[in-house]
Amino acid sequence: MTAELDPRIERSRRVIAEAALEEMAEVGYGAMTVEGIAKRAGVSKATIYRHWAGKLEIVESALEMVKATMTFDEAAPPRERLTQLLRSLADYVGDDANVGASCLPSMVSAARYYPAVRDFLHRFSASRRKVLIDMVIEGQAVGDIDSSLEPELAAELLVGPIFYRRLMTGSSFPAADIDRVVDAVLGPPPA
């Protein structure tokens, strides 16, 4: 049985995690400090160190919180769930008001220079990709998705346009166009 966190502690952790994303979006991962996060969050460094060992752990918690906001209807068929999840991702990544999305370039850059960040980013991405892979496999099992597709490649192709647009162009991938990507990668839905 897991004990529930005190609501004040949960709120404090959320405020600190959000402050970390804001700080990283503004100054980048390399220049981000626990002191800067504490100042932005309006807490002491000691408060931060009661919950996390350092800035990477804070960022990990913050991105896990973001991941929890990406929802889909669990009762929907696999292809529909997959499409809902991709729309949610496109909305989030494409919205400049989402500080987490603004941190993407910083995390990609930091992964080049900080092995711990690279390891975290690879683990985090793999866990997100596994959700899509599992949906593709489930869709293949029920006849929603072409069984000849390689699930891991399909998952990469499905998220590729979303991240490519965010990182490499001046625009974002519209969630309204996700159905076209799903059809292009997975083939048309079964009749």
Side-chain angles (χ1 to χ4, degrees):
M1 183 166 89
T2 60
E4 287 190 35
L5 276 180
D6 179 317
R8 292 170 298 176
I9 293 173
E10 275 188 46
R11 183 191 171 287
S12 177
R13 287 177 61 88
R14 186 176 31 79
V15 167
I16 294 166
E18 289 169 0
L21 292 179
E22 290 169 5
E23 186 77 1
M24 187 168 46
E26 188 174 307
V27 302
Y29 181 84
M32 181 175 73
T33 63
V34 171
E35 184 175 299
I37 296 166
K39 183 177 179 183
R40 190 177 290 268
V43 301
S44 70
K45 288 190 332 184
T47 299
I48 290 176
Y49 285 120
R50 269 195 292 275
H51 301 284
W52 297 283
K55 66 183 183 181
L56 180 57
E57 291 81 8
I58 303 167
V59 170
E60 288 180 29
S61 289
L63 292 177
E64 287 297 329
M65 288 178 196
V66 166
K67 183 170 79 172
T69 67
M70 309 265 164
T71 60
F72 51 85
D73 176 4
E74 303 238 0
R79 185 185 181 109
E80 190 176 322
R81 276 185 282 140
L82 183 145
T83 303
Q84 290 171 4
L85 181 59
L86 290 170
R87 278 191 205 116
S88 181
L89 179 63
D91 278 338
Y92 186 84
V93 169
D95 185 355
D96 288 328
N98 287 326
V99 178
S102 299
C103 292
L104 260 171
S106 181
M107 285 301 290
V108 171
S109 175
R112 169 69 175 94
Y113 300 102
Y114 302 95
V117 173
R118 181 176 45 252
D119 293 344
F120 161 71
L121 197 56
H122 291 173
R123 279 191 323 275
F124 184 80
S125 296
S127 74
R128 295 310 296 154
R129 196 169 48 254
K130 180 164 178 10
V131 171
L132 288 172
I133 292 167
D134 289 348
M135 287 180 183
V136 170
I137 292 169
E138 185 183 352
Q140 289 174 321
V142 299
D144 254 1
I145 296 171
D146 181 351
S147 62
S148 70
L149 291 175
E150 201 280 295
E152 188 163 333
L153 179 60
E156 291 170 353
L157 292 170
L158 289 164
V159 297
I162 297 169
F163 289 103
Y164 177 82
R165 288 252 186 110
R166 177 67 188 187
L167 294 169
M168 305 303 286
T169 74
S171 64
S172 59
F173 197 90
D177 289 348
I178 288 296
D179 289 16
R180 290 183 19 213
V181 172
V182 170
D183 290 349
V185 174
L186 303 180

